[in-house]
Amino acid sequence: MEIFTTIADTQSYLKKLTQQGKSVGFVPTMGALHRGHISLLQQANLENDIVACSIFVNPIQFNKQEDLLKYPRTLNEDIAKLKEVACDVLFAPSVDEMYPEPALERFDFGHLDKVMEGKHRPGHFNGVAIVVKKLFEIVNPNRAYFGLKDFQQLKIIQTMVSTLKLNVQIVPCPTLRENDGLAMSSRNIRLSKHERSVAPAIYRVLNGIKEKAGRISPKNAEEWGISQLNKFDGMNVEYLSIVGADDLLPISEWDEKKSVVVCTAVNLGAVRLIDNLILNHHIEE
Ligand code: PAF
């Protein structure tokens, strides 16, 4: 695996390969790689000649300094995992390399970045869009792989790609879960033993909402979910919203024909976890 820390080296190496007609699959990450990331890399490996990964803890997508400082950084372990999964190129730049000047670009995502994560983490999606656009310019991938766990992020990136007419195919990939249902996340390693033992309740409650879909109103289902989760010691729901899967608009009644998703963010002690579940029984995740 080639490891680069500069934009120029990454671009010139990948450019030679694309000029030879090789396709590039790209998995952008912030490191602390887990099996969820590995599954994205495996998918990229199946569909492309070359697999590139980036590891960059993007400071401008953190709205809380404390969250940025606590974000796990495990570069050596990550490199070992990338070698095992036959990744060809790793781009691991410094903050100065990515942002020699302050990043001032502003995106307009309309309603999409005003709700849920966007509402609770002001500026987060603008920071994600800036870094992903920049990474796409550097890597110039044919395909880029994103997990459905970050459902709203995926919508934002798909919107950015279509608005800016970027020449990259966005490939959504399923959420990977531990055996007890907890969605895999780099943040899980920060959970205490007790927090780890209660965390699977998030997915159980999302499934409880799925069972109730169509039988009680969306508003009552949201309230039920929030009250169930808040019963757990140390758990505090930031939001739990049932929204259209395409427009992220709240729904007031169930509509068999509309794809609907429940998204939640939960603070468990000092760790913020997100998860979601597609609710329509005729649409598989
Ligand atoms: O999902 C993530 O890990 C990050 O938001 C991303 C897409 C790598 C941008 O920093």
Side-chain angles (χ1 to χ4, degrees):
M1 180 172 73
E2 301 291 331
I3 302 178
F4 300 112
T5 55
T6 70
I7 294 174
D9 288 348
T10 312
Q11 273 177 326
S12 78
Y13 183 81
L14 285 170
K15 201 169 170 192
K16 275 187 212 122
L17 293 170
T18 43
Q19 277 168 351
Q20 290 164 20
K22 297 206 191 296
S23 60
V24 177
F26 177 44
V27 181
T29 81
M30 298 205 297
L33 302 181
H34 50 70
R35 277 193 287 129
H37 295 116
I38 301 302
S39 73
L40 303 183
L41 289 151
Q42 284 166 336
Q43 186 70 28
N45 231 325
L46 287 175
E47 298 175 351
N48 303 277
D49 301 316
I50 300 292
V51 176
C53 175
S54 63
I55 295 183
F56 178 62
V57 182
N58 177 33
I60 64 166
Q61 73 184 71
F62 287 82
N63 57 318
K64 286 190 184 146
Q65 184 68 4
E66 166 203 355
D67 199 21
L68 169 64
L69 294 176
K70 280 197 206 139
Y71 202 84
R73 286 161 172 86
T74 56
L75 188 60
N76 291 338
E77 288 99 312
D78 291 347
I79 289 174
K81 287 178 189 168
L82 289 173
K83 284 182 179 163
E84 248 175 63
V85 78
C87 178
D88 301 290
V89 176
L90 168 62
F91 175 50
S94 66
V95 173
D96 286 345
E97 178 70 10
M98 287 297 277
Y99 303 121
E101 309 288 338
L104 301 175
E105 195 169 359
R106 290 289 166 267
F107 291 86
D108 181 5
F109 293 112
H111 167 80
L112 285 184
D113 70 345
K114 310 284 182 298
V115 293
M116 303 191 293
E117 286 302 283
K119 183 171 171 193
H120 291 268
R121 302 181 69 189
H124 168 67
F125 285 123
N126 202 69
V128 170
I130 288 178
V131 82
V132 171
K133 180 171 168 253
K134 186 153 186 159
L135 289 167
F136 284 174
E137 281 159 10
I138 297 164
V139 175
N140 191 20
N142 299 77
R143 297 177 192 84
Y145 296 79
F146 291 88
L148 275 157
K149 182 180 151 272
D150 294 293
F151 193 84
Q152 195 174 2
Q153 168 172 280
L154 176 67
K155 294 283 148 192
I156 295 277
I157 289 165
Q158 286 172 327
T159 303
M160 178 183 80
V161 165
S162 77
T163 311
L164 301 178
K165 300 190 172 50
L166 303 182
N167 195 14
V168 52
Q169 184 193 336
I170 302 300
V171 186
C173 299
T175 303
L176 252 72
R177 298 184 180 279
E178 302 291 352
N179 288 340
D180 56 14
L182 177 64
M184 290 187 189
S185 161
S186 304
R187 293 167 191 259
N188 291 353
I189 52 178
R190 289 179 45 217
L191 294 169
S192 70
K193 207 166 165 210
H194 167 71
E195 289 161 356
R196 177 64 189 81
S197 74
V198 296
I202 300 170
Y203 187 53
R204 283 203 304 275
V205 167
L206 296 184
N207 273 297
I209 290 175
K210 187 169 181 165
E211 275 166 30
K212 291 181 188 305
R215 294 197 278 127
I216 62 172
S217 73
K219 187 167 176 287
N220 285 349
E222 286 175 352
E223 283 169 5
W224 176 82
I226 293 168
S227 69
Q228 291 299 305
L229 288 172
N230 280 341
K231 276 185 197 158
F232 289 92
D233 180 32
M235 240 191 223
N236 196 353
V237 176
E238 208 169 89
Y239 66 82
L240 186 147
S241 307
I242 299 173
V243 296
D246 294 322
D247 52 21
L248 305 185
L249 285 167
I251 57 157
S252 52
E253 50 194 51
W254 303 105
D255 177 352
E256 282 280 299
K257 286 179 237 88
K258 192 174 159 113
S259 177
V260 170
V261 61
V262 54
C263 299
T264 190
V266 172
N267 287 302
L268 188 44
V271 186
R272 188 174 184 279
L273 299 175
I274 61 169
D275 202 353
N276 66 76
L277 189 65
I278 301 280
L279 295 184
N280 310 45
H281 45 263
H282 63 281
I283 296 168
E284 289 305 319
E285 220 185 323

